[in-house]
Amino acid sequence: MNKSPKKNNSFTTLRSLFVYAKPYKSKVFIASILAIILAPLNAIIPYLANDMVDNYILKMDLSGLRKMAMLYLFILILITVCRYYFIIITNTLGQNIIMNMRRDVFKKLLSLPISYFDKTAVGTNTTRTVNDLETVNSVFSEGLITIIADILALVMLLIVMFYTSVKLTLICLVSFPLLLVASYIFKEKVKASFTKVRNEVAKLNAFIQESISGMSIIQMFNAEERSKQKFNDINKQYTQANIDAIFHYAVFFPVVEIISAASLGFMVWWGAKGVLHHEVSIGQLVAFPMFLNRLFQPIRQLADKFNTLQMGIIAGERVLDLINNEKSEIDDGKIIDQSLKADIEFNNVFFEYQKDLLVLKNINFRLPKGKSLAIVGPTGSGKSSIVSLLNRLYPIKSGEISIGDININEFKLDYLRSKISIVLQDVFLFSGSIKDNISMKNENITLDEIKEATEQLGLGEFINSFPENYDYILNERGNNLSLGQAQLISFIRAIVTNPDILILDEATSSIDPHTESLVQQAIEKLIKNRTSITIAHRLTTVQKADFLMYLENGEIKEFGTIEELLAIPDGYYFKLHQRQFHSNATVN
């Protein structure tokens, strides 16, 4: 009962994979024709050897032998040419298909919600995009089409063998059941080993990705030895999985050789007796070792190719699961021309990252257009979650978020995000030039606009301090910059698109006091005609905000102007204000 759905699932996966072959129907057709041509050609070579010995060599017909030798040579050349093009076409087909699948995988990754990446290791997605797709390639390059070609060759070979000599063919097939049993056991064992290999390589990729990303933390906390030990454990498991697979190959191929040698020996012994009794011709005795070689070689390869096909299907299933993932960001919005210079309103908003673990509870507030809001509160109170919801990085559990009385879900997602810019505390920069990191390779953003945004922030001198200015090349994650430098670049990136809404999430935390004062002056100018939300721990950065929200445990405890909140003697903000400014005064 359990196997049927599995087979059906494999068939469904295979059918879905071959959908990607549709643009390359001509290649599939040519490969199929070549397989059909190769099948009888491979079988006819031993038969020609039989004919040449019996009808030309033994009869001393040198003229006829010369013609047969030319025919023999011609067929060998034809087989070589056909096999060359068969290999080229099937491998090209596989590469083209995985190129398209890789494109779809990355496109899918770009469309998945942030919640997916919160729960899925980077290494797992890397494995899907690289390793699994390379395995899928084998379905086309050495899988289904080549298996069909080998089966056709075997069928044709058996037909020609029976035609040549029924008795010798039956003698050759005596050991055939043993070969089938050995092949089946090998196929099942290797399948289990390869499944384990795929799982272990995913673990290895995930660990390496995580370790490299967090290398500074590993070194700062003197955790190199512990990381090394954990890597060694994972590495050993991966190596052992590969050794297990190698072991099955090491056993199977010698077993096949023994069975093949036994068949050959039995056939030669019986055939020699047949020659002496004039039951078997010398030509048949010469041809059948050639037949046997062509019979056992594809069978040895078939067992391996079936495993390759199975592994390709398993990898293809994982890749298709990702491509067909229904958790893509929902974008039913249609509005692409409405200004976001309008009031922002949260109405009874509840939000959770995990089911039944509320992060935001009954959030209600209205921020008038062109005004600034500062959000303060203890760590983990939900401050960053509010701005993430405004940007539609996560769906809300219930309630409504609107801009200008329009539900944000009615805006086209890319349009909504194009009108909202954000500067995060943890700045992410890509490898490439400063210009590319500011424009995010948006061709609609000109260098003049980048320079104008830079000057607005008063950061022209900062950019000019780099050797090639805007063409200065940043390393991966911008690790050839200081935290403060990276954050200044992120300021320019946020402003260059001239957003309607500006979000600053602890954006000045990595900037030195002198630079912060310059940026603060620029920010005041920039948010003057722009709705803005600032998340801050240091109250010195939000003293000029129009409104202030105090958030704790996912609930709004206070909302109003700074003057109104300071007028509440035992209020949340009043106590926070007293703690920060009183401690600063004491230190001074």
Side-chain angles (χ1 to χ4, degrees):
M1 293 291 289
N2 293 335
K3 288 185 179 179
S4 180
K6 196 171 183 180
K7 287 179 182 176
N8 184 55
N9 191 45
S10 295
F11 176 75
T12 303
T13 301
L14 201 56
R15 188 174 60 186
S16 299
L17 289 175
F18 265 85
V19 169
Y20 280 90
K22 280 186 177 179
Y24 310 102
K25 286 179 181 177
S26 59
K27 282 186 170 58
V28 175
F29 177 75
I30 294 170
S32 303
I33 294 298
L34 288 172
I36 294 169
I37 292 171
L38 282 166
L41 289 179
N42 277 309
I44 206 170
I45 287 291
Y47 180 79
L48 285 176
N50 166 48
D51 193 42
M52 288 166 70
V53 171
D54 285 345
N55 297 323
Y56 297 94
I57 294 175
L58 294 178
K59 293 180 180 180
M60 306 296 286
D61 183 357
L62 294 180
S63 176
L65 181 62
R66 196 175 295 112
K67 291 177 183 177
M68 290 299 294
M70 293 298 291
L71 176 62
Y72 191 92
L73 181 61
F74 172 75
I75 292 174
L76 281 177
I77 293 171
L78 185 59
I79 289 172
T80 303
V81 172
C82 288
R83 191 166 296 282
Y84 167 80
Y85 281 106
F86 182 79
I87 292 170
I88 290 290
I89 288 169
T90 51
N91 279 273
T92 303
L93 175 66
Q95 289 297 327
N96 283 326
I97 286 171
I98 65 166
M99 177 185 69
N100 293 337
M101 289 189 74
R102 194 181 292 118
R103 176 203 62 206
D104 286 355
V105 167
F106 192 70
K107 180 181 177 182
K108 187 66 181 185
L109 287 172
L110 291 175
S111 73
L112 288 170
I114 294 298
S115 56
Y116 169 83
F117 299 98
D118 291 342
K119 300 171 186 175
T120 309
V122 174
T124 300
N125 288 322
T126 304
T127 302
R128 296 290 174 272
T129 312
V130 181
N131 301 74
D132 281 343
L133 279 172
E134 285 302 322
T135 307
V136 171
N137 173 39
S138 62
V139 172
F140 303 95
S141 60
E142 52 183 294
L144 191 63
I145 297 174
T146 54
I147 286 172
I148 292 171
D150 285 343
I151 292 172
L152 276 173
L154 283 173
V155 170
M156 288 301 302
L157 195 67
L158 287 170
I159 291 171
V160 176
M161 285 174 71
F162 274 110
Y163 178 77
T164 306
S165 173
V166 174
K167 287 183 179 180
L168 282 179
T169 302
L170 291 174
I171 291 295
C172 291
L173 294 179
V174 166
S175 61
F176 207 66
L178 289 174
L179 187 60
L180 291 177
V181 170
S183 298
Y184 176 78
I185 293 171
F186 169 73
K187 179 176 73 70
E188 292 301 311
K189 292 291 185 182
V190 170
K191 178 184 176 183
S193 296
F194 276 1
T195 302
K196 189 175 180 182
V197 167
R198 302 312 302 166
N199 293 333
E200 293 302 328
V201 78
K203 290 180 187 176
L204 191 64
N205 283 341
F207 182 78
I208 290 172
Q209 173 72 36
E210 186 178 48
S211 298
I212 292 173
S213 298
M215 189 57 69
S216 59
I217 300 298
I218 290 173
Q219 293 181 355
M220 281 190 287
F221 285 87
N222 197 29
E224 291 95 335
E225 287 301 319
R226 293 187 292 277
S227 295
K228 189 190 300 180
Q229 185 57 50
K230 188 173 180 181
F231 174 80
N232 288 341
D233 292 341
I234 297 172
N235 193 25
K236 283 178 183 177
Q237 291 170 2
Y238 175 55
T239 303
Q240 189 58 50
N242 279 290
I243 290 172
D244 290 343
I246 293 167
F247 170 77
H248 299 309
Y249 279 93
V251 171
F252 174 70
F253 286 115
V255 166
V256 173
E257 290 298 329
I258 291 169
I259 295 172
S260 175
S263 293
L264 179 61
F266 193 45
M267 186 277 298
V268 170
W269 173 75
W270 195 92
K273 284 176 61 179
V275 169
L276 294 175
H277 292 89
H278 304 289
E279 295 174 353
V280 175
S281 70
I282 293 177
Q284 289 172 338
L285 194 62
V286 170
F288 263 80
M290 298 171 68
F291 277 127
L292 266 178
N293 183 52
R294 279 168 163 74
L295 183 68
F296 278 89
Q297 187 177 5
I299 291 173
R300 284 197 299 266
Q301 293 175 349
L302 269 174
D304 194 24
K305 285 176 181 176
F306 268 115
N307 280 314
T308 299
L309 179 62
Q310 284 180 321
M311 292 307 102
I313 290 172
I314 291 169
E317 190 175 338
R318 288 197 289 258
V319 173
L320 290 170
D321 282 345
L322 176 57
I323 292 174
N324 299 326
N325 191 316
E326 295 179 357
K327 295 179 180 177
S328 295
E329 287 183 311
I330 299 172
D331 188 12
D332 297 330
K334 300 277 192 299
I335 299 174
I336 57 170
D337 55 1
Q338 182 76 32
S339 172
L340 268 63
K341 292 180 178 178
D343 295 357
I344 298 172
E345 185 173 8
F346 279 58
N347 187 20
N348 300 323
V349 172
F350 287 79
F351 170 66
E352 58 189 14
Y353 290 106
Q354 299 178 30
K355 192 174 181 181
D356 300 327
L357 290 174
L358 285 172
V359 176
L360 296 176
K361 309 162 192 173
N362 198 29
I363 300 297
N364 288 278
F365 72 89
R366 189 178 187 92
L367 177 62
K369 71 173 182 177
K371 298 297 183 181
S372 58
L373 168 66
I375 305 177
V376 298
T379 301
S381 58
K383 301 186 295 295
S384 295
S385 297
I386 286 180
V387 296
S388 295
L389 297 185
L390 184 62
N391 222 2
R392 279 178 59 188
L393 291 177
Y394 298 91
I396 61 176
K397 179 180 175 65
S398 62
E400 183 182 66
I401 303 173
S402 59
I403 300 176
D405 296 327
I406 299 173
N407 190 309
I408 59 171
N409 294 323
E410 295 181 32
F411 290 99
K412 192 74 176 169
L413 189 57
D414 57 354
Y415 177 77
L416 174 73
R417 290 177 180 170
S418 71
K419 295 295 181 181
I420 302 175
S421 278
I422 184 166
V423 179
L424 297 170
Q425 179 179 3
D426 184 16
V427 178
F428 193 102
L429 296 175
F430 297 89
S431 55
S433 68
I434 290 177
K435 179 178 66 178
D436 287 342
N437 270 278
I438 293 173
S439 67
M440 291 299 289
K441 294 192 176 180
N442 184 345
E443 294 178 357
N444 294 323
I445 297 175
T446 65
L447 181 59
D448 287 338
E449 289 172 328
I450 293 173
K451 289 179 177 179
E452 184 181 347
T454 304
E455 293 303 324
Q456 278 185 296
L457 284 168
L459 297 177
E461 187 178 338
F462 163 70
I463 293 294
N464 291 332
S465 67
F466 292 103
E468 291 89 20
N469 304 143
Y470 293 98
D471 292 321
Y472 180 71
I473 299 299
L474 306 182
N475 294 340
E476 184 181 5
R477 298 181 69 91
N479 59 19
N480 53 337
L481 299 180
S482 68
L483 291 175
Q485 288 175 319
Q487 206 145 41
L488 290 173
I489 290 174
S490 74
F491 264 100
I492 306 171
R493 179 165 66 188
I495 298 307
V496 73
T497 56
N498 191 27
D500 291 340
I501 299 171
L502 182 65
I503 296 170
L504 306 174
D505 188 352
E506 197 61 31
T508 59
S509 61
S510 300
I511 299 175
D512 62 85
H514 172 69
T515 307
E516 182 183 347
S517 65
L518 295 175
V519 172
Q520 203 64 44
Q521 293 174 23
I523 290 174
E524 289 173 17
K525 297 175 185 175
L526 292 167
I527 67 176
K528 199 167 188 178
N529 299 313
R530 187 178 279 118
T531 310
S532 66
I533 299 176
T534 302
I535 296 172
H537 289 291
R538 293 184 298 184
L539 299 186
T540 53
T541 62
V542 298
Q543 290 305 297
K544 295 186 179 181
D546 296 309
F547 296 95
L548 189 139
M549 175 195 298
Y550 188 94
L551 204 63
E552 189 173 295
N553 295 325
E555 297 178 300
I556 297 177
K557 298 299 184 181
E558 292 178 343
F559 185 92
T561 65
I562 293 177
E563 292 76 15
E564 289 171 345
L565 300 186
L566 283 175
I568 306 172
D570 292 323
Y572 290 92
Y573 178 69
F574 180 84
K575 292 178 181 177
L576 178 64
H577 186 274
Q578 287 293 102
R579 283 197 301 271
Q580 285 204 16
F581 284 97
H582 179 69
S583 62
N584 288 341
T586 303
V587 171
N588 293 333

